[in-house]
Amino acid sequence: MSIDEFDIWYRTRYHRTSSALTSTAFIISDLFGVMFSFGVGFFLVNMYDIRAINFRSFVTYWPYLPAFILFFQVTNLYPGVSLAPAEEMRRFTIGSFWVHGGIILSRYIEDNEFDAISIAFIISFVFSIIILMICRSCMHRLLHKTRLGGIPAVIFGGGSTGKMVVDRLLNSRKTGYVPVLILDDAAEPDDYRGIPIIHDTSVGPEIVRRYNIKMAIVAMDKQKQEDITRLINYSVSAFRYNVLIPDFFGVANIWMSVRDFDGILGFATSHKLKMYWNLGIKRFMDLSLVVIGGLIITPFLLLIALLVKVSSPGPAIYKHTRIGMNGKPFRVYKFRSMVMDAEERLSSLLAADPQIRKEWEENHKLKDDPRITGIGKFLRRTSLDEFPQLLNILKGEMSLVGPRPIVEGEVKKYGEDFGRIFSVKPGITGLWQVSGRSDTDYGERVAFDTYYLQSWSVWLDFWVLLKTIEVVFKGRGAY
């Protein structure tokens, strides 16, 4: 495609290149989230003691709203595109903490007492993190659906890496960028997935001059260093913002930083789950959440155990050998969801039906498994059958978040990645479960688990736990 042909294509579809609309939309959703969290805090205190606080008085604290937006701006939450969910949660937590803390401190200095309203703001802070993440996610979805929030971006590279970037930008609602042009010198087709391709990477300055597009993403395969340097200096540099997707993106993580070796730039990273203090923090978080949450849900778990016992003969808790950290086998606990002679029935099924045998060999799961009891189907669909694994966490065999424990027959599916992925404790939930659960294949599981190991943080664990709640309620991919 020539640049004149692209001119007609572009001007009939796009009329702005700034992030102003996206930023404004996120400011509106954040303001709503903050006010809603205020309301939750005041409502809960009022519900505990209706005389302690006037629920409607939370409206008088609206003047503090600009402070939230200011702190969110300081933590770079605007325009808020291309942020990893864990990083987005971290920034919301920091900004919300400082403003809520400032409100509580100012009230204490003014009244010289810690009253019910201060308690309401503490509750508001706790809920604000979840509420702000939900509001931001809803706004992402709205902007993506209405096509109002996409910021135009030019992709340098029409090879496999460039096409992968285009796919991700088109398929994801959270990246915030929309590909409008691919620049590649190779003689490729004139478009990819409807995105025009101009076979001249030197036209970057002309694109900027004509359309004022501000973002360029360089995603070129196996280019010589001098060619990439020339491209960046004379074409990519015309754009106000640019991102370089390296050939070794598979080993990158969201906490990667840049180091200077006397004029030579290097990307620095670390395996955070090999550091003893991080393992201690993760273990403390596991025990705290399990003990506190376990005490709250114990009556509910007893009810589930009773239903399992009533629905079919056999014990309520099922123990099965799985492979855990460093390949060590252990007994994982689950609410029994199958009949007692499940193994015998499985052998008969595999012998009688080649299609079922193929499905089992690929995933070690069956979508329509006749061995599952009535209550078992409900437990699996809602993932409630996993709750007894809280005992495995207390015993130190598992973590709340981590790679999924597997059976011996699955080890070969991971190949040479097995030792690296299972160098940490397996988890009740993990990135691949919340990203597709049983619908993902082993290649995707390895990719998700690798990303988790490379990018671990407390914030990532919290985000996975929150995402798990959403996925469980939707019942997506579970069987």
Side-chain angles (χ1 to χ4, degrees):
M1 179 179 288
S2 68
I3 194 168
D4 291 330
E5 291 172 324
F6 171 72
D7 187 89
I8 299 173
W9 183 92
Y10 179 82
R11 294 188 187 279
T12 56
R13 290 169 173 80
Y14 300 96
H15 306 285
R16 57 183 176 79
T17 60
S18 75
S19 59
L21 179 59
T22 301
S23 297
T24 301
F26 287 147
I27 288 173
I28 293 172
S29 69
D30 292 346
L31 289 174
F32 176 82
V34 170
M35 285 307 303
F36 192 80
S37 64
F38 280 4
V40 170
F42 277 69
F43 175 77
L44 291 178
V45 171
N46 182 263
M47 187 170 64
Y48 176 76
D49 185 353
I50 197 170
R51 297 166 299 178
I53 191 173
N54 180 3
F55 170 67
R56 295 181 180 178
S57 66
F58 84 93
V59 178
T60 62
Y61 293 91
W62 285 15
Y64 286 104
L65 291 180
F68 280 92
I69 302 305
L70 176 62
F71 271 80
F72 291 162
Q73 173 63 38
V74 169
T75 55
N76 295 316
L77 276 164
Y78 305 115
V81 295
S82 298
L83 281 178
E87 175 63 8
E88 190 174 65
M89 176 179 284
R90 185 184 73 87
R91 296 183 186 187
F92 270 131
T93 302
I94 293 172
S96 184
F97 172 80
W98 282 110
V99 183
H100 275 98
I103 295 173
I104 294 170
L105 181 61
S106 65
R107 295 196 73 264
Y108 183 81
I109 293 174
E110 180 180 351
D111 300 332
N112 201 29
E113 65 174 346
F114 188 81
D115 58 7
I117 293 180
S118 297
I119 296 175
F121 278 115
I122 292 177
I123 297 173
S124 172
F125 162 68
V126 173
F127 279 90
S128 69
I129 302 165
I130 301 174
I131 293 171
L132 285 166
M133 290 290 290
I134 293 174
C135 290
R136 180 65 68 99
S137 179
C138 291
M139 186 56 72
H140 272 297
R141 185 178 288 108
L142 178 63
L143 291 174
H144 180 74
K145 189 172 183 178
T146 58
R147 298 184 178 181
L148 292 175
I151 302 170
V154 173
I155 312 299
F156 282 80
S160 59
T161 304
K163 290 176 179 177
M164 180 193 69
V165 171
V166 171
D167 290 338
R168 297 292 175 88
L169 295 181
L170 291 177
N171 296 339
S172 173
R173 66 171 183 266
K174 293 200 67 174
T175 56
Y177 293 105
V178 54
V180 297
L181 176 64
I182 300 171
L183 298 180
D184 194 287
D185 292 323
E188 295 285 337
D190 283 344
D191 71 90
Y192 174 70
R193 291 190 62 179
I195 308 302
I197 299 176
I198 293 180
H199 305 298
D200 185 357
T201 56
S202 66
V203 298
E206 180 66 13
I207 296 296
V208 174
R209 187 188 66 80
R210 287 197 185 195
Y211 312 109
N212 196 31
I213 296 175
K214 300 176 177 63
M215 171 58 76
I217 301 175
V218 182
M220 307 192 77
D221 301 318
K222 300 178 178 62
Q223 295 291 311
K224 295 180 180 179
Q225 181 63 46
E226 57 268 25
D227 293 338
I228 288 290
T229 301
R230 188 182 305 109
L231 178 70
I232 292 174
N233 289 339
Y234 296 104
S235 189
V236 178
S237 60
F239 295 83
R240 183 180 301 178
Y241 310 105
N242 51 78
V243 173
L244 176 64
I245 308 294
D247 282 342
F248 54 90
F249 63 86
V251 300
N253 69 61
I254 61 175
W255 310 119
M256 185 172 282
S257 59
V258 176
R259 299 288 177 85
D260 179 15
F261 297 93
D262 194 22
I264 300 175
L265 296 183
F267 294 106
T269 184
S270 60
H271 194 323
K272 294 181 180 295
L273 286 179
K274 287 188 178 295
M275 301 176 183
Y276 292 114
W277 52 88
N278 286 333
L279 292 174
I281 292 171
K282 187 172 174 64
R283 180 63 176 161
F284 175 77
M285 186 175 77
D286 285 342
L287 291 177
S288 300
L289 293 177
V290 168
V291 171
I292 296 173
L295 291 175
I296 296 173
I297 66 174
T298 294
F300 180 61
L301 298 182
L302 292 175
L303 175 60
I304 294 177
L306 178 62
L307 292 175
V308 172
K309 288 285 291 182
V310 171
S311 65
S312 65
I317 302 295
Y318 171 72
K319 291 185 288 185
H320 193 265
T321 301
R322 297 293 176 94
I323 305 300
M325 183 176 176
N326 297 324
K328 182 180 179 181
F330 71 103
R331 303 280 277 179
V332 67
Y333 300 101
K334 300 180 74 172
F335 281 123
R336 183 173 57 83
S337 59
M338 291 187 176
V339 294
M340 289 301 297
D341 60 342
E343 292 300 324
E344 291 79 3
R345 293 195 186 187
L346 176 62
S347 298
S348 301
L349 283 170
L350 298 182
D353 194 323
Q355 285 296 112
I356 291 179
R357 184 169 63 253
K358 180 181 178 182
E359 181 183 355
W360 177 260
E361 289 173 351
E362 288 178 351
N363 300 309
H364 281 265
K365 284 179 178 289
L366 300 176
K367 281 195 173 183
D368 298 312
D369 197 328
R371 302 172 298 159
I372 301 176
T373 63
I375 185 66
K377 290 181 180 179
F378 171 76
L379 294 178
R380 289 195 169 201
R381 187 171 62 251
T382 58
S383 295
L384 293 177
D385 61 323
E386 311 279 359
F387 273 91
Q389 291 169 32
L390 298 178
L391 296 174
N392 291 113
I393 295 177
L394 293 176
K395 293 171 65 177
E397 298 167 330
M398 293 182 66
S399 177
L400 282 171
V401 183
R404 194 73 181 97
I406 60 176
V407 297
E408 182 67 36
E410 293 178 275
V411 173
K412 60 183 179 182
K413 300 282 188 179
Y414 286 82
E416 61 184 11
D417 295 302
F418 172 79
R420 174 172 50 85
I421 291 175
F422 286 90
S423 64
V424 299
K425 292 178 183 178
I428 292 180
T429 186
L431 266 182
W432 76 263
Q433 290 98 315
V434 302
S435 301
R437 301 170 79 194
S438 299
D439 293 331
T440 56
D441 60 27
Y442 281 92
E444 291 174 312
R445 294 187 193 187
V446 169
F448 283 124
D449 288 336
T450 298
Y451 179 90
Y452 176 76
L453 293 177
Q454 293 172 347
S455 305
W456 179 86
S457 71
V458 171
W459 308 103
L460 182 56
D461 273 5
F462 274 124
W463 179 80
V464 171
L465 291 172
L466 290 176
K467 190 70 175 176
T468 299
I469 297 173
E470 175 191 341
V471 171
V472 167
F473 274 113
K474 290 181 177 179
R476 187 181 71 214
Y479 55 84

